[in-house]
């Protein structure tokens, strides 16, 4: 029998204890793993908005974009502006609208249709005078009217001037409305007028004068004016314009009330408003006038809420144009209203800045 010494037993127990501790200790934890790599889609490249391109074609009298070149002959429609004729129809579709004095202090509107107008009613149509014939011809336009002064008919008959008249040569191009009394109820439309012109063998195309146009953001010259009144002769013909900055147009009112288009109920407006002064001469006891459209004179041009004090000029074979010094004033694309007032008073007597 083998006997172990005390020291040997103690050493053996100590060794076993160490082995036991080692064999019973838990397994070491695995080293922590790196978080998964998330591959994100790359941020999209910023997309540049398409660069603004100039329209390929623009209407000669408005500067607005059109699909193809337009040489359609303008139609100059004499529009009744008596209080009983308001609101008129079709003015919002015209390229240019002139407001001109007739006898007795009333005014006549001459609406030029070249690039627009559609198939809506236009009117009420009224009579013509020699200077209104001249105004139409300045734009190469066909005059449209219902009656006229003796001098106007003398020009048509003896000078062979082309025209469409409800009374003498184009009655089927017009009709009478039943909701108004004559003479404030005569209407027409572009399709009827073009058909009437074609039947009479009148040319439907012409060399149309072109105005110079600039983008609104390019308009920086002129005094800031956002509201003004225009006075002709009678208090019942006080015209006002207020600039709408958001729409970049001038809203038209007559005698303090919005002047609207009967076709759509919209208030009439313009991108450009011009007031030009010239000589007016009374011809007879009825008050018929001669209006000088050739000698030039003072003009106020309103665009983009700004006013330029300039001049108007009319060269042979060209239209009426507006200048600041020797430079033609560019118009803003859109409709233009032009008002002709007598030059017996300074122009600022006819225009009140409000």
């Amino acid at each position: 029998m083998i006997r172990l010494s005390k020291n040997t037993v103690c050493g053996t127990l100590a060794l076993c204890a160490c082995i036991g501790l080692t064999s019973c200790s838990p397994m070491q934890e695995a080293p922590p793993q790196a978080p998964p790599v998330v591959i994100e889609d790359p941020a999209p490249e910023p997309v540049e908005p398409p660069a603004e391109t100039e329209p390929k074609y623009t209407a000669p009298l408005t500067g607005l974009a059109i699909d193809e070149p337009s040489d359609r002959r303008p139609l100059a429609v004499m529009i009744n502006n008596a209080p009983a004729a308001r609101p008129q129809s079709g003015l919002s579709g015209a390229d240019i609208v002139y407001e001109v004095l007739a006898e007795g202090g009333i005014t006549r509107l001459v609406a030029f249709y070249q690039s627009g107008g559609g198939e809506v009613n236009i009117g009420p149509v009224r009579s013509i005078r020699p200077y209104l014939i001249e105004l139409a011809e300045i734009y190469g336009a066909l005059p449209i009217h219902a009656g006229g002064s003796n001098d106007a008919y003398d020009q048509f008959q003896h000078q062979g001037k082309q025209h469409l008249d409800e009374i003498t040569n184009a009655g089927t191009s017009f009709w009478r409305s039943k909701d108004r009394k004559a003479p404030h109820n005569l209407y027409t439309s572009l399709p009827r007028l073009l058909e009437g012109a074609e039947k009479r063998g009148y040319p439907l195309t012409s060399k149309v004068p072109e105005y110079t146009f600039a983008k609104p953001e390019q308009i920086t010259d002129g005094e800031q004016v956002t509201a003004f009144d225009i006075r002709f002769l009678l208090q019942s013909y006080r015209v006002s314009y207020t600039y709408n900055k958001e729409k970049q147009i001038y809203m038209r009112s007559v005698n303090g009330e919005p002047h609207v288009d009967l076709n759509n109920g919209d208030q009439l407006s313009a991108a450009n408003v011009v007031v030009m002064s010239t000589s007016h001469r009374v011809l007879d006891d009825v008050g018929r006038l001669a209006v000088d459209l050739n000698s030039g004179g003072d003009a106020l041009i309103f665009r983009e809420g700004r006013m330029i004090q300039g001049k108007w000029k009319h060269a042979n074979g060209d239209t009426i144009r507006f200048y600041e010094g020797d430079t033609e004033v560019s118009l803003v694309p859109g409709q233009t209203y032009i008002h002709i007032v007598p030059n017996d008073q300074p122009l600022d007597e006819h225009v009140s800045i409000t």
Side-chain angles (χ1 to χ4, degrees):
M1 181 174 180
I2 302 172
R3 294 181 180 272
L4 300 174
S5 66
K6 184 178 179 180
N7 290 339
T8 301
V9 172
C10 291
T12 301
L13 291 173
L15 177 61
C16 290
C18 290
I19 293 172
L21 288 172
T22 303
S23 62
C24 295
S25 63
M27 295 178 63
Q28 293 183 352
E29 295 182 359
Q33 296 181 353
V37 178
V38 179
I39 300 176
E40 298 182 355
D41 293 334
E45 293 291 332
V47 178
E48 292 290 335
E52 289 188 12
T53 58
E54 295 291 335
K56 191 172 183 180
Y57 305 109
T58 57
L61 299 181
T62 67
L64 296 175
I66 52 177
D67 294 331
E68 56 186 22
S70 176
D71 61 353
R72 191 181 81 184
R73 185 181 187 183
L75 302 175
V77 185
M78 309 298 128
I79 303 290
N80 191 343
N81 195 34
R86 304 179 197 139
Q88 296 93 338
S89 299
L91 288 173
S92 58
D95 294 49
I96 295 175
V97 178
Y98 272 84
E99 185 165 7
V100 192
L101 278 167
E103 55 272 9
I106 67 173
T107 67
R108 183 84 78 243
L109 302 176
V110 184
F112 288 83
Y113 297 89
Q114 195 277 326
S115 64
E119 299 183 6
V120 300
N121 296 349
I122 298 174
V125 182
R126 206 65 172 97
S127 57
I128 199 167
R129 303 290 180 267
Y131 55 90
L132 300 179
I133 299 174
E134 182 182 5
L135 182 61
E137 292 177 338
I138 285 174
Y139 289 86
L142 180 65
I144 313 297
H145 62 105
S149 66
N150 292 335
D151 289 341
Y153 273 122
D154 183 70
Q155 287 191 15
F156 289 136
Q157 294 170 3
H158 294 94
Q159 299 180 29
K161 292 181 180 291
Q162 297 177 353
H163 66 117
L164 289 179
D165 177 20
E166 185 263 346
I167 295 176
T168 63
N169 70 359
T172 57
S173 297
F174 303 82
W175 70 89
R176 293 278 175 181
S177 169
K178 296 181 179 180
D179 58 356
R180 286 181 174 176
K181 294 181 179 180
H184 311 299
N185 63 345
L186 184 68
Y187 293 87
T188 187
S189 67
L190 291 186
R192 289 205 184 193
L193 294 174
L194 293 172
E195 181 181 3
E198 189 173 21
K199 284 182 177 179
R200 296 193 63 80
Y202 295 158
L204 300 182
T205 61
S206 67
K207 183 179 179 181
V208 184
E210 297 186 30
Y211 279 110
T212 301
F213 294 93
K215 295 180 179 179
E217 60 269 21
Q218 296 173 328
I219 305 300
T220 58
D221 54 338
E223 174 188 354
Q224 288 190 343
V225 173
T226 57
F228 55 95
D229 294 339
I230 303 171
R231 181 182 62 82
F232 286 88
L233 294 179
L234 300 178
Q235 288 296 325
S236 56
Y237 288 83
R238 179 173 57 85
V239 180
S240 303
Y241 288 94
T242 301
Y243 183 64
N244 185 316
K245 186 175 182 180
E246 180 180 354
K247 296 181 179 180
Q248 295 181 301
I249 52 177
Y250 294 88
M251 310 305 295
R252 176 181 166 97
S253 298
V254 175
N255 301 326
E257 297 293 332
H259 192 180
V260 303
D261 190 321
L262 185 61
N263 287 335
N264 52 29
D266 293 341
Q267 185 174 1
L268 299 176
S269 62
N272 312 280
V273 179
V274 179
V275 186
M276 51 179 277
S277 65
T278 191
S279 170
H280 289 58
R281 182 166 54 89
V282 178
L283 298 176
D284 54 30
D285 55 3
V286 178
R288 295 187 179 94
L289 299 171
V291 178
D292 182 0
L293 298 175
N294 297 292
S295 299
D298 294 331
L300 296 176
I301 306 102
F302 299 85
R303 318 156 301 164
E304 285 298 298
R306 295 174 177 271
M307 179 187 75
I308 289 178
Q309 299 186 43
K311 299 285 185 180
W312 69 271
K313 300 178 182 180
H314 176 213
N316 289 335
D318 195 10
T319 190
I320 294 173
R321 298 186 183 273
F322 310 101
Y323 292 84
E324 184 178 21
D326 295 327
T327 303
E328 183 179 358
V329 175
S330 298
L331 302 178
V332 176
Q335 192 180 45
T336 299
Y337 269 72
I338 302 172
H339 309 75
I340 303 178
V341 298
N343 65 357
D344 55 348
Q345 295 177 324
L347 189 52
D348 57 12
E349 292 291 326
H350 291 280
V351 179
S352 302
I353 307 301
T354 58

